[in-house]
Amino acid sequence: MPLIANTPVEKMTGPYPRRWWALLVLCLSLLIVVMANTSLIVAAPDMTKDLGLTSSDLQWVIDGYTVPYAALMLVLGSIGDKYSRRGALITGLLIFAGGAVMGSLVHQTDLVITARATMGVGAAVVMPATLSLLVAIFPKGERAKAITAWSATSGLAIAAGPLLAGWLLESHAWGSTFLINAPIAILGVVGALLLVPPSKAATMGRIDYVGGLLSIVSVGSLVYATIEGPHFGWGVGPITSAVVAGVGLLAFVAWELRHPSPMLNVRKFTERPFSGSMLAVLFFFFGTFGAIYYSTQFLQFVLGYDALETGVRLLPLAGAVFLGAAVTGRLAPKLGVKVVVGTGMAIGTAGVFLLTRIETGSGYTDFVAPLLMLGFAIGLSLSPATDTIMDSFPESELGVGGGANDTALELGASLGIAILGSLLATSYKDKLTGLVGGHLPAAALDTAKDSVGGGTAVAEQVAKNPQGGAEQAQSLLGAVHESFAHAIAHTSLIGGVIMAAGTLIVVAILPGRGRGEAEERGGAAETTAERTDSVSA
């Protein structure tokens, strides 16, 4: 067998012999893409102090990655289908590594945001390539197991990012959390050349670049409005972006319906297995990322854990993901997608509702059960939902399928952090104002109301001030902690209601096992007919 994997998947007469090693490379690539977001959660306090970040700056350091990541996946997945899926994977890893190196070296806020955006572009190339290569390499009988491993890696990265970042921050500056991605990305490039065979769509026509541009404008504007509006007010910019997103979406649908070779066949959303699974992925990551976003802050700012200690305490979530993945491999073939996905969403929703019990005296043990439930829910349901989505696409559109799945994933995560984060900030601010509004100077009160980190910093300053003292500082800190605990409970109630509504919608849309199989066969027959007509034309 040659050292470099040169034989295209399309020319193989049987299953690729080194496919499980190739899966390891794909999962490694996925791992760093997801960790790039979650690791920043625990690195944010150090970055804020070192760079003097405002609340707006920090938000865009985080979301400078998210906007290009979410907006570009669909079109970049299509380009990978057309020219080379492995080439897309390698290119994306190199772009990602370049952005990581840049982020580790610069010390200006705008340059850090630029580095994060560069990493986001790389991630938008890598994510759909990993999923399209997986489906292309593995035969149908093994595909569900491979997608389960891929899905479990997503869950592992949610916990591994804070753990790795925390370990690095013990003895290194925050730039190390960027730099660690570079050698892993280079390892992924080498692994892709050695173990991942070339693959591209054999029957794909011209790329629908107009549809691609409309998708970029629509998703990018939606993510921008979702980030900017809830956090910083619905001014001209966010409202304009929301309008552009709505108009762009309508234009995208109209264009795709009339185009002979659309970027994304929007008629797929009339197929219940596809649309139900897309919504399931979106709602899962909405609840999970939102809950982790504020739970991590409680562990750090209220319970006083450092970055590494916080990362270690998120490990139950990763373990539960693997347990759920092991269970879904046995249950999904027997019970069907509707039962497994619906059960997982119900468990995840219950986990979010458990966080409504958080109060001032809560400790780490109050977070263990919610983390376990969220992790188990991801492991149980993400794999069958993703498998259903990818089964909806023909071989020529695997990158588009991966892009659609990953867009739902990233959009859900963005909405979770933005919407629940905004609710959290508003609830915290209102409660703290009621507790200490008349006892602090206006400037100090504004800082304390900005975030739990700001409130902690003001309490530290009060302790050092001769006019304040330890007793007044402790009183303020108690008010900050009480306000943040109240905010978590209130936000979790609303988040749980949204998750519960999402669960009911998904269960209503997903067909039962017998009907789902019939729809899948009908969709497959339609796809075959479309491909035959295309070839004949």
Side-chain angles (χ1 to χ4, degrees):
M1 186 171 290
L3 181 64
I4 303 295
N6 284 325
T7 305
V9 174
E10 300 79 34
K11 295 183 179 180
M12 295 180 183
T13 57
Y16 175 52
R18 294 189 288 188
R19 56 193 179 279
W20 294 105
W21 288 104
L23 177 63
L24 183 63
V25 175
L26 300 180
C27 288
L28 180 67
S29 303
L30 171 68
L31 186 72
I32 59 171
V33 164
V34 180
M35 282 200 313
N37 248 352
T38 59
S39 63
L40 203 65
I41 293 174
V42 296
D46 283 7
M47 293 181 70
T48 300
K49 292 176 184 176
D50 188 36
L51 298 174
L53 300 178
T54 64
S55 177
S56 176
D57 290 337
L58 179 59
Q59 192 65 40
W60 280 108
V61 167
I62 295 171
D63 291 313
Y65 182 84
T66 300
V67 175
Y69 183 19
L72 295 173
M73 276 192 282
L74 196 62
V75 67
L76 292 176
S78 181
I79 291 172
D81 281 338
K82 174 72 174 177
Y83 297 106
S84 173
R85 291 165 182 146
R86 184 177 72 171
L89 176 65
I90 292 171
T91 301
L93 286 171
L94 291 174
I95 294 172
F96 188 87
V101 171
M102 177 183 176
S104 70
L105 297 176
V106 298
H107 287 85
Q108 294 174 250
T109 302
D110 55 345
L111 293 179
V112 174
I113 294 172
T114 301
R116 288 278 295 169
T118 302
M119 294 172 70
V121 172
V125 187
V126 170
M127 275 288 274
T130 61
L131 203 45
S132 61
L133 282 164
L134 183 156
V135 175
I137 291 170
F138 280 86
K140 177 66 177 175
E142 297 176 345
R143 193 174 297 162
K145 188 181 295 185
I147 288 179
T148 297
W150 185 92
S151 303
T153 302
S154 298
L156 172 63
I158 294 173
L163 180 64
L164 180 59
W167 174 68
L168 289 169
L169 291 170
E170 286 286 291
S171 53
H172 301 283
W174 58 263
S176 62
T177 62
F178 281 78
L179 191 59
I180 190 62
N181 291 296
I184 301 175
I186 298 303
L187 180 62
V189 170
V190 174
L193 290 171
L194 297 178
L195 298 168
V196 179
S199 173
K200 65 178 182 179
T203 60
M204 187 175 178
R206 290 184 178 181
I207 294 176
D208 172 21
Y209 283 110
V210 174
L213 179 61
L214 289 172
S215 75
I216 292 171
V217 171
S218 301
V219 177
S221 298
L222 176 60
V223 173
Y224 176 86
T226 300
I227 293 167
E228 192 75 8
H231 280 281
F232 310 115
W234 288 96
V236 175
I239 290 177
T240 302
S241 294
V243 172
V244 169
V247 173
L249 179 61
L250 292 175
F252 174 74
V253 172
W255 177 266
E256 298 298 272
L257 286 173
R258 298 181 62 182
H259 198 280
S261 301
M263 171 74 64
L264 174 65
N265 182 1
V266 294
R267 292 182 177 87
K268 287 188 183 298
F269 285 96
T270 63
E271 299 171 11
R272 292 169 61 188
F274 175 77
S275 56
S277 296
M278 286 283 285
L279 284 173
V281 171
L282 188 147
F283 277 110
F284 257 121
F285 280 83
F286 173 91
T288 301
F289 267 75
I292 289 175
Y293 174 74
Y294 52 73
S295 296
T296 304
Q297 292 184 60
F298 192 94
L299 295 178
Q300 288 186 288
F301 291 108
V302 177
L303 298 183
Y305 295 122
D306 62 25
L308 179 59
E309 291 169 336
T310 299
V312 169
R313 282 161 178 78
L314 291 177
L315 284 178
L317 184 143
V321 169
F322 280 100
L323 179 60
V327 170
T328 200
R330 295 177 177 272
L331 293 185
K334 297 178 181 178
L335 302 179
V337 173
K338 179 172 185 171
V339 173
V340 173
V341 170
T343 301
M345 291 192 72
I347 292 171
T349 299
V352 174
F353 272 126
L354 274 182
L355 290 170
T356 60
R357 301 167 60 204
I358 297 300
E359 55 188 12
T360 307
S362 294
Y364 169 65
T365 54
D366 295 293
F367 288 87
V368 173
L371 288 174
L372 288 171
M373 293 171 75
L374 285 169
F376 185 78
I378 292 172
L380 185 66
S381 300
L382 184 59
S383 170
T386 297
D387 195 18
T388 301
I389 291 169
M390 294 305 294
D391 272 348
S392 302
F393 290 86
E395 183 275 337
S396 61
E397 299 176 13
L398 293 180
V400 175
N405 179 85
D406 299 335
T407 299
L409 186 155
E410 187 59 26
L411 189 59
S414 301
L415 289 169
I417 291 176
I419 294 175
L420 296 184
S422 175
L423 291 169
L424 180 84
T426 301
S427 182
Y428 166 78
K429 185 184 300 184
D430 291 345
K431 182 69 173 179
L432 187 64
T433 301
L435 291 175
V436 301
H439 304 287
L440 281 177
L445 180 61
D446 286 342
T447 301
K449 291 192 302 182
D450 186 57
S451 65
V452 63
T456 303
V458 170
E460 291 174 353
Q461 292 300 316
V462 169
K464 297 175 183 177
N465 191 323
Q467 297 179 346
E471 185 175 345
Q472 188 173 344
Q474 190 60 41
S475 176
L476 173 59
L477 192 61
V480 168
H481 291 176
E482 180 182 346
S483 300
F484 195 67
H486 166 80
I488 285 182
H490 180 254
T491 303
S492 297
L493 177 62
I494 298 174
V497 170
I498 294 172
M499 286 281 288
T503 301
L504 294 175
I505 292 170
V506 168
V507 170
I509 292 176
L510 284 175
R513 189 174 182 188
R515 185 168 179 178
E517 290 170 351
E519 287 193 27
E520 187 176 328
R521 286 194 296 271
E526 183 180 343
T527 296
T528 301
E530 290 173 356
R531 291 168 63 180
T532 302
D533 292 343
S534 176
V535 172
S536 299

